[in-house]
Amino acid sequence: MNKLGHVISFTYRNKVKNKSFRWTTLSLAVLLLIGLNIPYFIQLFSGNNGEDNLKIAIASSNYDEIATQIQQAAQKQQQAKSSTDNPMMNASSDLQDTNLQWQDQFESEATLRKQVEDGKIGGYLLLQKPSQGDPAFPAVTYVSEKNDVVIQSLLQTATQTAKVQYIAAGKLTNTQLEQIGTPVTVNHTSPDDLNGNADSKKENPIKSNTENYILVYLLMVLFFFSLTITGNMIASEITAEKSSRVMEILISSLSPLTQMFGKIIGVFLVGLTQIASYGIVIAVNLSLPYYQEVLAKFDLHVSNLSLNIVGFGLLYYVLGYFLYATLFAAIGSIVSRTEDLGQAISPITMLTLAAFYIGIFSISNSDSLLMRISSYIPFFSPTTSIVRIGLGSMPIWEIAISIGILLVSILFFGWLSAKIYRTGVLMYGKRPSLKELRKAMKSYKI
């Protein structure tokens, strides 16, 4: 056990002290910091905070009454509060927070165009006689040098309300007009929920919400990218030692299991160090006032995250890492040159890609037959099972079987990789064939 600790400590310190590791980690952290703050800088320098840039006028022509209705509808829409019973209104809170100011008097198009060119107003609505259709209701065009999607959405909704009011010709109340402009939310439920099947609800007590959806997605991305980086690190570390003949000394003083798992655990801790550094950058950014406002607009709260998803996600991440890491170590031990390493580990890389893509592309259909079968395949279960747990209905007994299969697979491939490792690290020259490996492995007992 003491020797295992020395191998873990040596591997970790050797990797962390490496200049390339430090510069890579620091560079990615800086890029992540810049990427997370790009929306803030865009908003800061976009010029949309000035009063004049948000002042809107109307060139009404002969449609003064309709122009007044559009203006009143837009003002009511701005003043409306987000309804907690309507998630669509919460998601579009940018429209309600837009601080548009309306010019009191209606002007001619030529006058307003000059004001836009001089920067006195941000834009204007041009009401014109339509080329076809009912000439009593005008064609509406928003004229502005900036293509602001938020303002256009607000004006489009207000114009639609004015059109309904024009068509209804006083037959609808103001409340009915407001209801027409409110988006309709279509919720989803299952037949078991309609029938009041309590057993089906107990099978998966995790609430599937936006926060959990984002968490599941991030866990899959984290598993794929961290495993790809650390797996290549394990294989290249072993191949480099083998090519420098240092392996002949190491293998005589340490057992293959101790050496292999020491490197695997050491690199695992290196990967956790990188993840922790990026996590700190993300956490600091999310604590800033700007991001607090963004999260509040989309009604996202950390308290809504399910601890079950976090717990099972970390468990599957660790188990999946050790399963793939033993394979990367075995492949690295039979390669004599680092130039041949990329081709040798490509089958393992393809397995990680398959696990990632099955989970990502089935995230909207988490209880499909493919997902249910994949959750029992140890190479795919680290991603597919967490999708089923977080967004589907995976009973606890299926989770237990999936984890059990994953544990047995780790033991089996760990034993097999140790035998390959012990024989492969002492084979130099060309890559050994399966027949040569099998013959050498028979002479070695674990």
Side-chain angles (χ1 to χ4, degrees):
M1 195 68 181
N2 189 30
K3 291 183 178 180
L4 178 63
H6 283 306
V7 176
I8 295 173
S9 176
F10 174 80
T11 303
Y12 179 79
R13 285 186 284 105
N14 187 43
K15 285 294 181 184
V16 172
K17 290 181 178 179
N18 193 300
K19 287 185 178 180
S20 62
F21 170 81
R22 293 183 177 181
W23 278 109
T24 301
T25 304
L26 180 61
S27 300
L28 290 177
V30 171
L31 288 175
L32 183 62
L33 179 64
I34 295 174
L36 289 172
N37 287 279
I38 284 177
Y40 172 73
F41 290 122
I42 291 176
Q43 181 182 8
L44 188 64
F45 296 105
S46 62
N48 287 336
N49 294 326
E51 257 182 42
D52 293 338
N53 291 333
L54 290 179
K55 185 176 289 185
I56 302 295
I58 299 181
S60 62
S61 301
N62 297 323
Y63 299 98
D64 290 353
E65 183 178 353
I66 294 177
T68 303
Q69 292 172 349
I70 293 175
Q71 182 175 339
Q72 291 175 350
Q75 290 173 342
K76 287 182 180 179
Q77 189 178 353
Q78 288 179 248
Q79 296 170 358
K81 300 295 182 179
S82 297
S83 173
T84 55
D85 297 330
N86 192 343
M88 291 296 294
M89 292 296 291
N90 290 331
S92 62
S93 58
D94 284 340
L95 297 178
Q96 299 161 8
D97 294 338
T98 303
N99 186 26
L100 280 182
Q101 295 181 1
W102 291 86
Q103 193 161 285
D104 295 334
Q105 296 180 348
F106 302 143
E107 302 283 356
S108 65
E109 180 189 359
T111 302
L112 295 179
R113 184 182 300 178
K114 183 68 168 58
Q115 292 181 7
V116 169
E117 293 173 354
D118 295 341
K120 295 181 179 179
I121 60 175
Y124 64 91
L125 283 181
L126 175 60
L127 307 187
Q128 295 174 305
K129 184 178 180 180
S131 58
Q132 57 184 357
D134 186 1
F137 193 85
V140 182
T141 305
Y142 176 57
V143 181
S144 176
E145 293 184 354
K146 294 184 178 180
N147 186 16
D148 195 320
V149 178
V150 175
I151 294 178
Q152 286 183 233
S153 299
L154 186 146
L155 296 176
Q156 183 174 348
T157 304
T159 304
Q160 182 66 30
T161 302
K163 185 174 182 179
V164 172
Q165 189 173 0
Y166 162 75
I167 295 173
K171 296 179 181 178
L172 298 178
T173 63
N174 291 333
T175 303
Q176 290 173 328
L177 289 172
E178 291 176 2
Q179 289 296 321
I180 290 176
T182 302
V184 178
T185 303
V186 179
N187 297 316
H188 170 266
T189 188
S190 65
D192 291 331
D193 293 335
L194 291 176
N195 295 331
N197 191 338
D199 294 334
S200 65
K201 295 180 180 180
K202 291 180 181 178
E203 285 183 351
N204 188 23
I206 299 173
K207 180 182 178 182
S208 179
N209 51 29
T210 305
E211 291 87 346
N212 291 334
Y213 184 94
I214 296 174
L215 177 60
V216 169
Y217 193 92
L218 290 178
L219 285 173
M220 285 193 292
V221 173
L222 174 66
F223 175 79
F224 173 71
F225 283 102
S226 64
L227 182 62
T228 302
I229 295 173
T230 55
N232 280 276
M233 199 181 296
I234 292 171
S236 60
E237 176 86 4
I238 295 171
T239 303
E241 290 179 352
K242 179 180 176 180
S243 61
S244 63
R245 298 278 180 164
V246 176
M247 190 63 69
E248 295 178 356
I249 302 174
L250 295 175
I251 205 70
S252 62
S253 58
L254 294 171
S255 68
L257 279 175
T258 301
Q259 189 175 345
M260 186 181 74
F261 280 102
K263 290 184 180 298
I264 289 174
I265 297 174
V267 174
F268 175 68
L269 295 177
V270 172
L272 289 183
T273 302
Q274 280 187 315
I275 294 172
S277 62
Y278 303 146
I280 292 173
V281 173
I282 295 174
V284 169
N285 276 273
L286 292 180
S287 63
L288 297 176
Y290 168 75
Y291 273 100
Q292 291 295 317
E293 293 176 2
V294 172
L295 294 176
K297 286 181 180 180
F298 288 95
D299 196 25
L300 297 176
H301 304 281
V302 179
S303 59
N304 291 335
L305 292 176
S306 171
L307 294 180
N308 288 334
I309 299 180
V310 176
F312 282 119
L314 293 177
L315 178 61
Y316 273 104
Y317 171 78
V318 173
L319 295 179
Y321 167 83
F322 279 99
L323 174 64
Y324 278 100
T326 56
L327 298 179
F328 276 110
I331 297 297
S333 67
I334 64 176
V335 177
S336 299
R337 300 184 307 168
T338 54
E339 294 84 358
D340 301 331
L341 186 60
Q343 182 181 0
I345 64 174
S346 57
I348 312 300
T349 305
M350 293 300 294
L351 280 176
T352 59
L353 275 171
F356 177 71
Y357 284 130
I358 290 174
I360 288 293
F361 290 127
S362 301
I363 199 168
S364 59
N365 190 15
S366 56
D367 289 324
S368 64
L369 180 61
L370 175 62
M371 292 292 283
R372 292 201 300 270
I373 295 175
S374 299
S375 61
Y376 297 113
I377 301 175
F379 298 109
F380 305 146
S381 60
T383 56
T384 56
S385 293
I386 199 62
V387 173
R388 291 191 62 197
I389 293 171
L391 305 176
S393 55
M394 189 173 184
I396 192 66
W397 63 269
E398 289 190 21
I399 298 176
I401 293 176
S402 175
I403 293 176
I405 294 175
L406 196 51
L407 287 171
V408 172
S409 300
I410 292 173
L411 294 175
F412 172 74
F413 285 105
W415 168 81
L416 182 63
S417 297
K419 298 196 69 157
I420 296 175
Y421 185 91
R422 176 64 177 83
T423 56
V425 292
L426 297 178
M427 289 184 173
Y428 296 95
K430 70 179 183 68
R431 192 187 309 170
S433 64
L434 292 177
K435 185 177 181 180
E436 292 172 338
L437 272 177
R438 183 180 178 186
K439 184 177 179 180
M441 288 165 60
K442 282 184 176 180
S443 64
Y444 175 69
K445 305 292 184 183
I446 296 182

